[in-house]
Amino acid sequence: MGYHEPIFLGVFLPVVMLLYQLCTKKLRPWILLLASYVFFWSFSRYLVCYLIGATIVVYVGGLLLEKAKGNRKKWVLGCSTGMLIGVLGILKYSGFVTENVNALAGDTLLPPIKLMVPIGISFYTLQGVAYLVDVYWEKYKPELHFGKIALYMGFFPHVLEGPICLYDNHVKELWSGEPINGENLKRGIMRITWGLLKKMIIADRLYILVSKVYDNYRTYSGLVIVVAAICYTVQLYMEFSGCMDIVIGTAKIFGVTLPENFRLPFVSKNAGEFWRRWHITLGTWFKTYIFYPVSISKPVKKWNKFATKKFGKYVAKLGVSAATLFPVWLCNGIWHGAQWGYIFYGMYYFVILLVEAALEPIVKKKCVGPVWDGIRMAKTWVIIFTGELFFRAERLSVGLSMFGSIFKGFTLQTLWDGSLLALGLSIPDFLCAFAFTILVAVMEHKKEAGLDYYEKLQEYRTPVRWGIYYAFIFAIIIFGAYGTGYQKVDLIYAQF
């Protein structure tokens, strides 16, 4: 039961809304908790026990942290976070480890391991770790109410793909039990509709081309590989950001404001800025709970002091950047999955960000003005598209093969000789995807500039306003990629 599926939008969500509204304020949070576990059960069945177990660890760990003192407090934090990360590691990476050990040994030293992995475990694990570390840092007192911790960990709009929420910014609205009001309902439905447009019209349509090229990568070369990498990047953005629109809109109906996860990532002038605009809550998590602790650690402080004296501030700063960025991007790669391709993806951005840090003094002085801004943005697009080429590949070897194929028979003639029409999309499909991508870009730029579409629509007369609503609904019905010739596309980020 994905967020974009009719059973969720047409059955599950309306039933939850009805039960929520009929109950008293005191019972409404429990309705959300019950709905969250029903939702999780619908696609994971008995694997819901992992979510329950993680919730118990987080709850008990928080209580023990408040009572513990000194080194005992560190021990409690280590054990509780170790249990969360340990379960995640065993479920997601034990098979990867045994496979590589056996490959290195040239023999089956360890038996192959295949374990069932609960969908969303990476997301709720990070939320649990964030809560425990925040309690350890004494940002707030541990929660005594088990239900609040359970709802924080398993709230159905964000349990599959995020966004990753912090407890102190989230729990009050989650447990407020305020009734559904007209404004939240309309804002929520508008946001859900916008997300469905991005996923069903653009992302699911581009999936056809992307899957055909990646599934038959040996057949293609040159500009076809470039087009596939660009289309996958657009597909991933439209799907992931569209899913975020749906979950943010769903939460808004119940009066819960989830954090934004994207802010125009493709206007970025460097890779660092891109990652401050893409999957924002994951980046914030890594910055807060890995980057910051490493940056203030004793070894890094000693290096900074030593290198400043011996080599100057520039070298010292570069060394600190390397020491802090490396664990962040190693974890980023590993977090996405148990594949060398994902680890390569993390190291790819580590190297690029380190190079950007090294060139920063020159760029700030020399590369200024609108022309340079355009060049830097185009350079960032190349970095993004190249990274996503490897990210989508099933294995690192496939990514390397596809990247090498770009330089074989590369010709611009591919754009008009009909080669692209043999990839599963017709000319109307390309025009549809392109036109709606432009629409999304324009509307999101205006939103970033401060335009509130809901408030703007209220200025129009009722017939005009409802005409716009129906235009978007019929656009999804008419131009959505479903039915004959299309196949159901699961949520990409749910697998992470």
Side-chain angles (χ1 to χ4, degrees):
M1 184 164 59
Y3 298 120
H4 62 296
E5 294 181 18
I7 191 172
F8 176 83
L9 296 170
V11 180
F12 178 80
L13 183 57
V15 169
V16 175
M17 290 167 57
L18 179 63
L19 292 175
Y20 180 91
Q21 197 72 349
L22 290 176
C23 287
T24 62
K25 182 176 182 178
K26 192 173 182 180
L27 289 177
R28 284 172 185 154
W30 293 103
I31 292 295
L32 291 182
L33 181 58
L34 176 62
S36 297
Y37 278 101
V38 170
F39 178 72
F40 200 90
W41 172 266
S42 71
F43 52 79
S44 286
R45 297 295 189 268
Y46 66 88
L47 296 181
V48 71
C49 65
Y50 287 108
L51 174 59
I52 296 171
T55 302
I56 293 171
V57 169
V58 170
Y59 176 73
V60 175
L63 297 180
L64 293 177
L65 279 169
E66 186 180 36
K67 297 179 180 180
K69 303 294 180 183
N71 288 332
R72 182 178 172 81
K73 195 171 186 178
K74 292 182 180 179
W75 183 85
V76 171
L77 178 67
C79 287
S80 53
T81 56
M83 290 174 69
L84 294 175
I85 297 172
V87 170
L88 173 65
I90 291 170
L91 292 178
K92 288 189 72 173
Y93 309 108
S94 56
F96 175 71
V97 171
T98 57
E99 179 185 336
N100 282 275
V101 168
N102 291 337
L104 286 172
D107 194 6
T108 308
L109 294 180
L110 300 173
I113 298 176
K114 288 186 179 180
L115 300 173
M116 297 286 288
V117 182
I119 295 176
I121 187 173
S122 297
F123 290 96
Y124 66 71
T125 295
L126 293 192
Q127 288 201 169
V129 171
Y131 169 82
L132 290 169
V133 174
D134 285 348
V135 171
Y136 174 79
W137 285 342
E138 298 181 356
K139 286 186 178 180
Y140 42 78
K141 294 285 186 180
E143 180 57 62
L144 302 180
H145 194 308
F146 181 77
K148 292 183 179 181
I149 294 292
L151 189 54
Y152 163 70
M153 291 286 287
F155 186 43
F156 70 90
H158 65 55
V159 74
L160 281 190
E161 294 194 2
I164 300 166
C165 302
L166 300 181
Y167 186 77
D168 56 334
N169 298 331
H170 195 39
V171 69
K172 288 182 180 179
E173 288 184 336
L174 273 179
W175 208 260
S176 65
E178 295 297 327
I180 298 172
N181 61 54
E183 181 172 336
N184 284 341
L185 179 62
K186 286 185 282 188
R187 282 184 179 273
I189 292 174
M190 282 181 60
R191 192 70 183 265
I192 290 171
T193 305
W194 183 240
L196 288 172
L197 181 147
K198 290 157 78 172
K199 170 157 176 60
M200 294 185 66
I201 297 180
I202 305 172
D204 287 0
R205 178 171 270 102
L206 293 178
Y207 169 82
I208 297 171
L209 181 152
V210 171
S211 60
K212 184 161 188 176
V213 174
Y214 275 86
D215 291 346
N216 306 279
Y217 66 94
R218 290 188 179 91
T219 309
Y220 303 103
S221 62
L223 194 57
V224 171
I225 301 294
V226 175
V227 170
I230 293 172
C231 285
Y232 175 67
T233 305
V234 176
Q235 178 204 350
L236 181 63
Y237 173 72
M238 292 300 174
E239 157 133 2
F240 194 14
S241 68
C243 180
M244 289 300 98
D245 291 326
I246 295 170
V247 302
I248 288 172
T250 300
K252 191 65 181 178
I253 290 173
F254 299 101
V256 178
T257 302
L258 298 182
E260 297 291 340
N261 227 9
F262 295 91
R263 285 185 52 247
L264 297 179
F266 297 105
V267 304
S268 306
K269 299 178 184 67
N270 56 56
E273 183 184 357
F274 171 75
W275 279 100
R276 290 191 293 273
R277 293 174 174 272
W278 175 284
H279 208 340
I280 297 170
T281 57
L282 178 64
T284 301
W285 194 96
F286 281 127
K287 180 180 178 181
T288 305
Y289 302 105
I290 296 180
F291 182 91
Y292 174 72
V294 172
S295 68
I296 62 171
S297 64
K298 288 182 179 179
V300 172
K301 285 183 175 180
K302 286 181 179 178
W303 158 259
N304 191 33
K305 187 176 180 180
F306 167 78
T308 302
K309 286 182 179 180
K310 292 287 184 179
F311 310 111
K313 290 184 178 180
Y314 176 77
V315 173
K317 184 178 179 181
L318 207 58
V320 170
S321 296
T324 50
L325 289 173
F326 180 79
V328 167
W329 287 101
L330 178 62
C331 290
N332 187 302
I334 293 172
W335 180 85
H336 279 96
Q339 292 182 26
W340 284 110
Y342 292 132
I343 296 174
F344 175 86
Y345 180 76
M347 292 299 95
Y348 169 81
Y349 272 106
F350 163 68
V351 172
I352 288 172
L353 291 172
L354 197 58
V355 171
E356 287 183 351
L359 297 177
E360 185 179 11
I362 299 173
V363 172
K364 281 186 175 180
K365 288 182 180 180
K366 303 292 184 181
C367 304
V368 293
V371 175
W372 273 110
D373 287 347
I375 293 172
R376 292 173 65 198
M377 192 179 298
K379 175 263 299 178
T380 304
W381 283 8
V382 173
I383 291 171
I384 295 167
F385 297 148
T386 303
E388 297 306 332
L389 185 152
F390 286 97
F391 187 79
R392 172 61 174 80
E394 288 187 7
R395 300 181 304 277
L396 178 57
S397 59
V398 173
L400 292 171
S401 175
M402 293 181 70
F403 182 75
S405 296
I406 292 174
F407 307 100
K408 299 175 183 177
F410 187 96
T411 171
L412 293 177
Q413 189 176 350
T414 303
L415 294 173
W416 58 79
D417 67 2
S419 299
L420 299 182
L421 297 179
L423 302 177
L425 297 184
S426 63
I427 291 177
D429 280 321
F430 278 110
L431 291 176
C432 182
F434 179 77
F436 278 96
T437 298
I438 296 299
L439 173 67
V440 169
V442 170
M443 293 189 70
E444 294 198 345
H445 271 77
K446 289 184 176 296
K447 178 185 173 184
E448 181 72 9
L451 178 62
D452 186 326
Y453 284 107
Y454 175 79
E455 294 294 341
K456 186 68 176 177
L457 283 172
Q458 305 315 303
E459 298 174 6
Y460 296 120
R461 297 176 63 185
T462 300
V464 176
R465 188 166 67 250
W466 278 95
I468 295 172
Y469 293 154
Y470 279 114
F472 276 94
I473 293 171
F474 280 111
I476 296 169
I477 295 172
I478 296 170
F479 299 109
Y482 59 89
T484 305
Y486 299 101
Q487 65 184 87
K488 179 182 173 183
V489 184
D490 293 328
L491 299 173
I492 296 174
Y493 253 77
Q495 65 180 303
F496 303 130

